């Protein structure tokens, strides 16, 4: 049974309001709020499972759990990349259903703006390769490992027989609906405000999704 859920607002990577706010800060804010909403005492949380794709190791889940006073929760970093949060929830559900655990917080956290860049020493040399991607993500023209618009978006569209025009119309409609939902306050209850760090050292309360575009699409776009 899911007894509580919450999220932060979504920001634009590298140039949005959360550009200087770490994944640890985001995870802690949501973790504390979602447990408070559940009514479960923090010390009764058995585990925290958070997907954290390409975040450089460690365990954001364990860090957030300790900072939130859930010192008995082990904290698991799940690295499935796409849809990792769904895997976290499924794994938590399976453990509860099996009787292994009683209360688990599951989800995911990602900060593209503050994620580390990987590098490694080239085997057999002293040279260091910057912006290294693991060999599990081979690069090719058909599936660039850093361009999901091709590896997932365009290749899936071709397989499903979707045209570029149909995709554009869908994207326009999605932005229109997102803006309408924001203006109507539909997301207010699910969003946890975050104190976002600004370049000058000040902070601002970030609580409204900023990624949906207001300047585009126009009123004449397909609905």
């Amino acid at each position: 049974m899911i007894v509580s859920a919450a999220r932060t607002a979504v920001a634009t990577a590298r140039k949005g309001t959360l550009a200087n706010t770490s994944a640890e800060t985001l995870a802690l804010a949501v973790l504390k709020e979602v447990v408070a909403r559940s009514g479960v005492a923090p010390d009764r949380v058995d585990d925290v499972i958070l997907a954290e794709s390409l975040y450089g190791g460690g365990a954001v889940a364990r860090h957030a759990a300790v900072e939130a006073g859930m010192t008995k929760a082990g904290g698991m970093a799940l690295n499935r990349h796409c849809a990792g949060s769904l895997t976290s929830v499924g794994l938590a559900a399976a453990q509860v259903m099996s009787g292994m655990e009683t209360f688990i917080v599951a989800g995911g956290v990602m900060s593209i703006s503050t994620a580390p860049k990987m590098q490694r020493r080239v085997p057999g040399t002293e040279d260091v390769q910057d912006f290294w991607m693991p060999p599990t993500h081979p690069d090719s023209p058909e599936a660039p490992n850093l361009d999901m618009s091709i590896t997932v978006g365009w290749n899936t569209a071709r397989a499903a027989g979707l045209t570029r025009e149909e995709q554009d119309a869908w994207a326009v409609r999605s932005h229109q609906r997102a803006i309408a939902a924001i203006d109507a306050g539909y997301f207010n209850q699910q969003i946890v405000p975050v104190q976002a760090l600004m370049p000058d050292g000040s902070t601002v309360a970030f609580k409204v999704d900023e990624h949906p575009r207001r300047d585009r699409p126009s009123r004449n776009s397909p609905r």
Side-chain angles (χ1 to χ4, degrees):
M1 178 183 296
I2 297 175
V3 297
S4 177
R7 67 177 178 92
T8 68
V10 178
T12 300
R14 299 188 177 90
K15 57 184 178 181
T17 306
L18 294 179
N20 301 296
T21 302
S22 69
E24 289 83 1
T25 298
L26 302 176
L28 178 59
V30 173
L31 179 60
K32 292 172 68 174
E33 178 63 21
V34 79
V35 172
R37 292 184 184 187
S38 74
V40 176
D43 62 359
R44 295 193 64 192
V45 175
D46 298 309
D47 206 352
V48 178
I49 306 174
L50 294 180
E52 48 167 280
S53 174
L54 297 176
Y55 206 66
V60 175
R62 172 61 179 169
H63 171 81
V66 171
E67 290 294 310
M70 305 171 201
T71 56
K72 296 180 181 178
M76 178 190 295
L78 191 147
N79 191 22
R80 172 158 273 188
H81 301 197
C82 297
S85 297
L86 292 175
T87 302
S88 297
V89 173
L91 183 60
Q95 292 192 53
V96 172
M97 293 171 68
S98 71
M100 296 173 62
E101 309 287 6
T102 303
F103 299 110
I104 299 180
V105 181
V109 61
M110 189 65 184
S111 171
I112 289 292
S113 301
T114 65
K117 302 295 185 183
M118 292 188 291
Q119 62 175 213
R120 72 161 184 172
R121 181 181 61 80
V122 179
T125 75
E126 295 301 320
D127 298 334
V128 175
Q129 181 180 354
D130 290 320
F131 302 109
W132 174 73
M133 286 293 288
T136 54
H137 291 67
D139 196 24
S140 70
E142 298 78 20
N145 57 21
L146 293 179
D147 192 344
M148 300 303 290
S149 66
I150 295 178
T151 57
V152 177
W154 181 239
N155 289 339
T156 301
R158 291 174 63 188
L162 298 174
T163 67
R164 177 57 186 269
E165 291 73 21
E166 289 173 321
Q167 294 175 74
D168 286 346
W170 182 278
V172 167
R173 188 165 59 248
S174 177
H175 278 261
Q176 289 174 332
R177 290 177 175 176
I179 292 298
I182 290 170
D183 290 345
Y186 292 153
F187 301 140
N188 293 350
Q189 186 175 5
Q190 63 187 240
I191 291 178
V192 178
V194 174
Q195 290 301 314
L197 180 65
M198 297 291 101
D200 63 1
S202 63
T203 60
V204 298
F206 180 62
K207 55 184 179 181
V208 179
D209 294 321
E210 69 181 11
H211 197 62
R213 299 286 296 271
R214 287 185 177 274
D215 56 338
R216 298 177 183 174
S218 70
R219 289 180 294 177
N220 296 324
S221 301
R223 295 182 183 276

